Amino acid sequence: MTEPLAPQYDPAAIEAPLYARWQAQQLYRVPADHPGEPYVVQMPPPNVTAVLHAGHGLNNTLQDVIIRFERMRGKRALWVPGTDHAGIATQNVVEKLLAKEGLTRFDIGREAFVERVWAFVHETGGSILKQLEALGTSCDWERTYFTLDADLSRAVREVFVTLHEEGLIYRGKYIINWCPRCLTALSNEEVEKEEADGRIWHLNYPLADGSGHLVVATTRPETMLGDSGVAVHPADPRYAHLIGRMLTLPLTDRTIPIVADDAVEADFGSGAVKVTPAHDPTDFEIGRRHDLAVFDVMTDDARMNDTVPERFRGLDRFEARKRVVAEFEELGLLVKVETHRHAVGRCYRCDTVVEPKLSDQWFVRMQPLAEPALAAYRDGRLRFLPERQGDNYAMWLENIRDWCISRQLWWGHRIPVWYCDTEGGGCGRTSVSRTDLDACPECHGPVRQDEDVLDTWFSSWLVPFSSLGWPEETADLKAFYPGATLVTAPEILFFWVARMIMAGLHFRGEVPFRTIYLHGTVRDTQHRKMSKSLGNGIDPLEVIDRYGADALRYTLVSGMAVGTDVILDPADLDASFAPGRNFANKLWNIGRFLLGHLGPDTPKLADVAEADLTLADRWILARAEATVVEVTGQYGKFRLNDGAAAVYHFLWSDLADWYLEQIKPRLYGTQPGGETAKAVAAHVLDLGLRLLHPVMPFITETLWQRLPHSPADDSISVQQWPVPGDARADAQALAEFGAIQEVIGAIRALRAEYAVAPGQRVNLTLADASPVVQRAIAVEEETVRRLAKVDNLQLGAAPAGASGTVVLDDGTVVIVPLGDLVDIDKECARLGGEATKLEGLVRSQEARLANPQFVDRAPPAVVAKEREKAAAWAAQAIALREQCRALRCRDQN
RNA sequence: GGGCGAAUAGCUCAGUUGGUCAGAGCGCCUGCCUUACACGCAGGAUGUCGGGGGUUCGAGCCCCUCUUCGCCCACCA
């Protein structure tokens, strides 16, 4: 792999072959006995049916940057990939496919359906992992897991049975969230609340004895068919006399009692609440307290069932609502309708309005699991980035509710519970078992396994240890648990992150990771989340195809500050990915130019005599040193964007714009010292490439392999991370070459201002040159001549004739005689203007320094600094005025 | 209803403990195809740092308040 670089940067041509090579070399394979301190990152397992989207791209890029950085730092860096069986999501996908054949899952039956899903998963599932490869992800693919694999299933079962034994899993009849489209229960977290403008109907319920009526307010009139009471607040004087009396429930032949309950808010609505125990969690509790009857009036798909009067049966809940309201109106029992803003819960998978439903489900008692998880946060064992996310975490744990884990689905881990039915002549025993049961352990009669499966998250909350072989005490488990950092989106903080922490503490006694980096979301220019339905998504594969994975990665990383979103314009990929695309192209050309001059004979920096180093050499080495410190610090703080920006600046501005320009004559052989320049250039490019490698792995590898001293068949991704001392700190070189840059900049600005033809050479006089400038010019005069196209260069007094002038911060006066190009009056006006500005600054500065409050209270260092500033400005202003006078004076001669 | 966050150049955002902090990238303007790169080079313009008050010798940076967005949580039917 050492052919010369192609003239054109073609990411497609380098990326895929490199990835294949890394895989073949098993660079990211991490056995348990791998050297180094462990650093483990668990990839948030994408849904097995998922297609790569921008969110995956961002999430996995960030993880890859972190893992590559830590790997190069000598850690035993392991990144564990996997996929999630994604119960509801996957089942929905396959059901849709079936629907195209005109079939439902009930038509083909459970066994055939599950087979069908497996076939689908084997056929198309997991392709997202292939897509991740295009990003350059350096995970250990040999460890790829699937949450329905036998070993992870075993862990799931072990956890279920253990928690059950500990009394932390129970079954019971409660109001749960029910999705009438998916036909399953959902956990609280799986319901997305959405504020919506709704209505609230005030309905008249007549007293049974005809002596009056009571008005109830409801947002869901259709549920009145299931009412079994009306509740008022015990201390509400309006209704005190009615407590205990009976009402006739309209549209039905039922009589229901009026009860008093603290749960009622007297101020809201009419102060009287209709109680529907089967269709509302609060009502369920009220019903329990007052022993009210329970009327479930809906089918699983949210139609009115046979318990309601015939004319309502079969009606969808929203149809039924209209019908009920209409009938109340006809009967003159509709008092009023008001608009009302309230939260509506929707299924997070299909967006259907969730129905509170009374049913038998399995739950995990969360309080005992939440307490240690909260303690781990409070005592600092967990760290959130951004920090404020920790409050979210704590708040959720403090108000935790039991977790409904059973799902009425077919795709997932079947609940390991077997019933010995009494109707079948059995003993009625319920068996919770680690192994499949064929017969009742008690009476040896036939058993029936629970029909339900477990919530998808009941397997993914275990992956920090189940992916490492648990419940076996494997070498992997010892070597890689606990992990170091979790990188994910805040959306799954409760679904996944918090639960992993609870499971980790409960089953392993340690938090599964220490740092939780919750990154932002990729959004469009209107700040909308990218989604398929909005059609505003960016396809990472298309971006990779057009600009390369490196360009995608750099753009994402550089746009991602901790705690912020990344905004990209899906309609303008060119503009969106310009930063990464431009930078990658620049790097390619830096490589093409520099590597073309380097060869096997290029000396190592260590073999270059100190005395041979020019100021420019020392300067770029000092810049490299500073960049090593900066980038290492920023990556270490997960400020990946700041780290990336620092390398960007080093490679583009310092190396390409200045150093490479400076050494050209030495490279071309028109000046001596070529070998030294090559050695320095090779050295700092090597450092820069290492620092950039975590962000742009492909192009850095490509260039690095062509550096003179890179071992053959080696990879930059397993090289050592640069450390301070790899280059060298040199404040003097920074200052002196900085002065050269200032002088050149001043000349260029003058040239531009006076429209000096690009090829035209000018003369230069440096008056009042500071010591730093003098020292710098003594050794880099040629650089100034060449980069600013200067002919004669002299230190001393201003020459005769019209000239342009710039006064540098250190007082050095840069004078470029420009003859006819200069309009003396204009130049004087310009200089005078600048002088006036400076004099203004000096005056305000002097006022400040004359203020005893400031001089006494501000730290001496600050005061001294302000004094220096004032002096420097004053000197500059004087120099400007002086130049103006000199200009007019010379003009007269 | 509660909690949290954000408002800085045309756009997307940095600005970590108050004293060169008014910055970067993209876009824009001017001039250049200078034998690595026009996805480039050189130069340049642009901001009462959301409004108002306050603390301080000194405030994008701290406090109060208002306005506008966003996120999370929530059993007032």
Side-chain angles (χ1 to χ4, degrees), chain A residues 707-723:
Chain A
L707 282 170
H709 310 299
S710 297
D713 293 323
D714 208 340
S715 168
I716 189 176
S717 63
V718 291
Q719 300 307 305
Q720 217 172 51
W721 187 252
V723 294

Side-chain angles (χ1 to χ4, degrees), chain A residues 417-440:
Chain A
V417 172
W418 286 262
Y419 304 101
C420 178
D421 294 323
T422 44
E423 300 101 76
C427 63
R429 177 186 163 126
T430 295
S431 308
V432 178
S433 171
R434 286 181 174 78
T435 53
D436 286 356
L437 295 185
D438 296 325
C440 177

Side-chain angles (χ1 to χ4, degrees), chain A residues 613-795:
Chain A
L613 294 177
T614 68
L615 172 57
D617 298 335
R618 287 164 47 220
W619 171 78
I620 195 70
L621 286 166
R623 283 294 309 135
E625 178 79 0
T627 307
V628 167
V629 173
E630 166 85 4
V631 173
T632 306
Q634 299 292 13
Y635 285 173
K637 286 184 284 186
F638 296 93
R639 300 188 61 116
L640 308 182
N641 58 324
D642 290 328
V647 212
Y648 178 97
H649 183 267
F650 173 71
L651 287 168
W652 197 319
S653 305
D654 296 336
L655 181 65
D657 290 347
W658 286 100
Y659 188 67
L660 294 186
E661 290 305 325
Q662 198 281 339
I663 64 173
K664 274 179 177 175
R666 285 192 278 168
L667 291 182
Y668 297 153
T670 57
Q671 256 180 31
E675 293 310 302
T676 302
K678 289 178 194 173
V680 173
H683 187 78
V684 298
L685 178 59
D686 177 88
L687 289 176
L689 291 175
R690 290 177 198 229
L691 296 174
L692 184 59
H693 181 259
V695 180
M696 303 178 85
F698 294 108
I699 193 163
T700 50
E701 177 79 300
T702 305
L703 301 188
W704 183 84
Q705 287 175 346
R706 288 163 175 76
L707 282 170
H709 310 299
S710 297
D713 293 323
D714 208 340
S715 168
I716 189 176
S717 63
V718 291
Q719 300 307 305
Q720 217 172 51
W721 187 252
V723 294
D726 279 354
R728 63 197 68 180
D730 188 339
Q732 193 189 350
L734 290 177
E736 291 181 4
F737 196 80
I740 294 295
Q741 293 175 304
E742 295 257 319
V743 170
I744 292 172
I747 301 164
R748 284 172 171 171
L750 286 171
R751 295 180 62 110
E753 181 157 357
Y754 290 104
V756 177
Q760 178 71 44
R761 306 196 78 83
V762 296
N763 293 328
L764 170 69
T765 297
L766 294 173
D768 298 330
S770 68
V772 171
V773 168
Q774 290 187 34
R775 282 200 302 272
I777 289 293
V779 291
E780 293 289 353
E781 179 181 330
E782 190 282 332
T783 300
V784 175
R785 286 181 189 281
R786 187 162 46 87
L787 298 186
K789 294 211 170 63
V790 169
D791 231 346
N792 294 320
L793 187 156
Q794 61 169 26
L795 286 129

Side-chain angles (χ1 to χ4, degrees), chain A residues 203-216 229-232 238-250 252-259 272 328 333:
Chain A
L203 308 177
N204 211 331
Y205 284 13
L207 283 162
D209 60 10
S211 66
H213 63 264
L214 186 55
V215 176
V216 299
V230 168
V232 297
R238 292 173 296 175
Y239 302 124
H241 65 290
L242 295 176
I243 293 167
R245 295 180 65 183
M246 302 299 283
L247 292 161
T248 300
L249 185 64
T252 71
D253 50 10
R254 227 179 301 154
T255 326
I256 57 176
I258 298 169
V259 301
F328 266 83
L333 295 175

